[in-house]
Amino acid sequence: MATQAIVAGLGARALGIRVHPAAAAAALAVSFGTHYAADRRVPGEGLLEKLADKTGKGGFYRLASHGINGAFHLDGAFHHGCETVAALIATTHATTR
């Protein structure tokens, strides 16, 4: 999380974006929380596996053949979606320098 905060801060600075500290903290909390929840892959109990089963994608989640690993792809898609939400939160009340 510290690395993400540093890189996001440097990126915002390089782009001339002033991010409100509370918005940045909230975005980092969303990122940390969703990464923690999604990356705990206990067979039959993990968040992504449960979401996949509830949405009818359980077969894809368990797919591990023909060069495709469904859990890997669903994990990446979940993280991209959560990071998009975190970025929207981080830019709330953002201004230019």
Side-chain angles (χ1 to χ4, degrees):
M1 188 162 130
T3 302
Q4 188 175 25
I6 291 167
V7 171
L10 291 173
R13 188 171 207 51
L15 294 171
I17 301 169
R18 183 171 291 151
V19 179
H20 192 278
L28 287 169
V30 166
S31 178
F32 174 77
T34 57
H35 272 86
Y36 181 83
D39 291 339
R40 300 297 161 274
R41 291 193 199 160
V42 178
E45 297 180 23
L47 173 67
L48 290 181
E49 185 175 2
K50 287 181 181 179
L51 286 173
D53 287 339
K54 288 186 186 286
T55 59
K57 300 296 180 189
F60 182 75
Y61 179 87
R62 286 179 270 290
L63 179 63
S65 63
H66 307 292
I68 297 174
N69 182 319
F72 172 79
H73 287 292
L74 290 176
D75 178 83
F78 180 81
H79 286 311
H80 284 297
C82 292
E83 290 303 313
T84 299
V85 171
L88 291 171
I89 292 169
T91 55
T92 301
H93 301 294
T95 60
T96 56
R97 295 187 182 272

